[in-house]
Amino acid sequence: MADQGALSGSSRTLRFGVNYTPARGWFHHWLDFDLDEVGADLDSIAALGLDHIRVFPLWPVFQPNRTLIRPRAVEQLVALADAAAERGLDVDVDGLQGHLSSFDFLPAWTRTWHRRNIFSDPEVVAAQEEYLRTLAGALAGRPNFLGMTVGNEINQFSGAPHPDPDRITPGQASRWLERMLAACEQGAPGRFHLHAEYDAAWYQDGHPFTAAQAARLGAATAVHSWVFNGTAQRHGPTGAATEHHAAYLVELSKAWALDPHRPVWLQEVGAPAPLIPPEGAARFTGATLANAVDCPGLWGVTWWCSHDVSRGLADFPELEYGLGLLTNERGVKPAGAVVARIAEEWRGREHRPAPRSTALAVDVGGAQDAPQDGPRRSVCAPGGAFFEAWSALAADGVRPAVVLAGLAEDPAHLAARGITEVLRVHEVGI
C-alpha cells in the first residue's frame, strides 16, 4: 500500500505499474460497470507482479452536467480502488478525461451550443475544481490511493493539431494548473498530485503548456514517451534514439526542475505497431526499461497499457489495438513477460544509479535560468539539433544528462546534480 515516503519520492524503491484499460468494453465499461470483470482484470495485472494502476474515469460519465457529479459513478470508482487494494495494487486516478487513444471525452456543457473554453471560462473551471475535489475526497481515506493526476494529456485541447482547440496563453495554462492541483490537494491533502501532458510541452514551439510548468508544478514531473512522434520513423525500431526515448524525456525534464531531486514519473510508455513490430515489442520493452531505470530520480514506470483493445470496437487508430501487456482474454503477451521479469528484478531493491556526470546543454531561447515558454523547444524534438546530438551520445555509450544553457556554468547547480562535464551541441559529431 502507498506510504508517505513513497509518495514524496524519498523512497528509493522503483514502482512498476500499468495504465488500466479494461478487457471488456475499454473505458466504456463505466457505462456498464461490472465489478467481477474489473476484479478479473486486476487479478491478471497483479499476477504480473506490478504494484499500481492508473485509472481513467470518463469526465462526461462522471459529471454529465456542470452541477451534477454522479454519486453512483463515484461509488464505482471507489469500488474499483478497493478491489485493487485487495490485490495489493495502489491506485492513481486521472480526473479530466478528456482525451484517450484519439477520442475526446468532453461534457456536453462545454461544447457546441454551450461552447466555452475549458481552461479559462470561470464556470467551467469552478466545476472542474469541484469534480477533482470530489474524486480526491472520495478516495482520501483509502491507504492504496496514490493521488490524482489532473487529466490525461489535456494539453492537447489547447492548440494545434487539435481540430477545435481552446486556445490560451502560457500564463493562463499555469493558473489553470495551479487551481486544479489545489483542488486535488483540498480533496486529499498530502497525496501525490500531479499533472501530465503529451510531449508538445517539451517539443512544440509556442505551445501554452510548457516544460517549466511540467517540471515545477505538482508533486512530480510526469513524462509520456511515444516513439511514433518521429523518433521511430527516423531511427527505426531498434535505433538508439528509439530505445532511449523514454530515458531522454526523463533527463530532458530535469533541465527545468528547480529541485535537483524532484521525482520523475514515466507515466506512459508503450510499443506502438507497426513502428515497433509486434515481434519486436518484447525487445523494445526490455531496452526501454533498462535505459529508463538508469536515470537517477526516476519514481517509477507505468506501462501503456494493461489489456489490448478489442477488435470489436471500431475506429481506433490501428496501433491502439495491440498495446496491451495482456490480451483481451487476459493472457500474458511477450512484452508483459518482460515487464513482469524486470519488476521482479527490482522488487525491494534500492534505486541508486550513479549520477549522470556528463550533461548536454540545451538552448531553447528565452531567459535561460527560467525559460517559461521555451520559444525554441523544437530543437528538443526528433530531428532537432539537440535531440539528435543527445541520441548520438547515447548511441556511443555516454549517459547524458541535460542542463539549460543558462545554468551550464553554474557550479552550485551542476554540483547538486552530480554533473562534472558539460558539452555543447556543436561539439557532438552528428
Side-chain angles (χ1 to χ4, degrees):
M1 296 298 102
D3 61 57
Q4 292 310 302
L7 299 182
S8 68
S10 62
S11 171
R12 297 288 183 174
T13 302
L14 280 176
R15 306 299 301 267
F16 288 92
V18 70
N19 292 276
Y20 173 40
T21 50
R24 304 286 183 266
W26 193 63
F27 297 109
H28 305 301
H29 84 133
W30 294 111
L31 298 170
D32 301 291
F33 188 77
D34 185 331
L35 192 55
D36 290 337
E37 287 286 343
V38 168
D41 287 345
L42 297 179
D43 284 338
S44 62
I45 292 170
L48 294 176
L50 304 180
D51 60 54
H52 71 275
I53 56 174
R54 182 170 166 233
V55 178
F56 301 87
L58 294 184
W59 185 16
V61 174
F62 279 65
Q63 193 179 26
N65 183 272
R66 183 166 59 83
T67 57
L68 172 63
I69 300 168
R70 293 177 52 242
R72 181 60 181 146
V74 177
E75 291 171 3
Q76 290 168 342
L77 175 63
V78 173
L80 190 158
D82 288 344
E86 293 170 2
R87 293 156 175 86
L89 295 167
D90 290 340
V91 173
D92 172 81
V93 175
D94 267 47
L96 296 166
Q97 266 54 259
H99 180 82
L100 291 163
S101 301
S102 84
F103 291 96
D104 288 348
F105 295 95
L106 293 177
W109 46 273
T110 67
R111 302 291 94 181
T112 59
W113 301 104
H114 295 266
R115 181 73 166 83
R116 41 194 164 178
N117 191 302
I118 65 171
F119 302 111
S120 63
D121 181 272
E123 291 185 331
V124 173
V125 172
Q128 292 168 334
E129 288 177 307
E130 182 60 25
Y131 175 59
L132 292 174
R133 269 195 303 267
T134 298
L135 295 190
L139 292 162
R142 264 56 184 184
N144 69 320
F145 174 50
L146 289 169
M148 298 292 297
T149 299
V150 167
N152 182 55
E153 300 185 352
I154 199 166
N155 63 311
Q156 63 94 29
F157 289 109
S158 67
H162 194 278
D164 184 24
D166 289 0
R167 296 192 182 279
I168 51 172
T169 66
Q172 288 174 308
S174 290
R175 289 189 290 275
W176 182 82
L177 286 168
E178 289 165 355
R179 289 185 63 173
M180 296 305 107
L181 289 164
C184 295
E185 179 66 17
Q186 290 162 9
R191 297 289 177 160
F192 196 54
H193 303 307
L194 66 156
H195 63 103
E197 286 75 49
Y198 87 100
D199 61 20
W202 310 104
Y203 292 164
Q204 186 175 316
D205 295 341
H207 189 70
F209 286 80
T210 69
Q213 295 161 2
R216 298 174 187 179
L217 299 178
T221 302
V223 295
H224 291 191
S225 173
W226 290 104
V227 297
F228 54 62
N229 63 359
T231 301
Q233 291 92 328
R234 293 180 62 88
H235 294 276
T238 62
T242 304
E243 293 184 345
H244 282 82
H245 184 260
Y248 170 70
L249 278 176
V250 172
E251 292 302 322
L252 181 66
S253 78
K254 297 176 187 177
W256 278 269
L258 299 177
D259 176 2
H261 305 295
R262 178 177 168 90
V264 183
W265 182 359
L266 179 53
Q267 195 183 51
E268 279 188 26
V269 59
L275 291 167
I276 306 299
E279 64 273 16
R283 173 201 162 102
F284 171 83
T285 302
T288 293
L289 288 175
N291 293 324
V293 301
D294 188 46
C295 295
L298 182 70
W299 179 85
V301 180
T302 310
W303 200 263
W304 189 282
C305 53
S306 64
H307 299 81
D308 285 344
V309 176
S310 169
R311 290 283 175 178
L313 295 175
D315 301 327
F316 284 81
E318 179 61 27
L319 68 90
E320 297 285 349
Y321 286 101
L323 287 170
L325 298 179
L326 300 150
T327 68
N328 288 128
E329 292 71 39
R330 305 187 179 102
V332 180
K333 296 165 64 177
V338 170
V339 172
R341 173 179 57 79
I342 293 175
E344 174 62 26
E345 290 173 357
W346 279 95
R347 186 168 296 113
R349 287 175 55 189
E350 284 192 323
H351 180 241
R352 292 184 180 273
R356 291 182 171 233
S357 57
T358 297
L360 188 63
V362 58
D363 183 355
V364 294
Q368 283 302 307
D369 59 341
Q372 297 305 310
D373 303 343
R376 294 199 298 270
R377 277 175 279 179
S378 56
V379 300
C380 301
F386 181 83
F387 179 98
E388 299 301 330
W390 191 98
S391 299
L393 289 173
D396 287 342
V398 179
R399 301 169 64 245
V402 183
V403 62
L404 294 177
L407 296 172
E409 297 180 9
D410 181 335
H413 178 81
L414 299 180
R417 297 182 56 193
I419 296 170
T420 59
E421 177 187 27
V422 177
L423 302 176
R424 308 287 175 161
V425 169
H426 70 270
E427 297 174 322
V428 181
I430 55 174

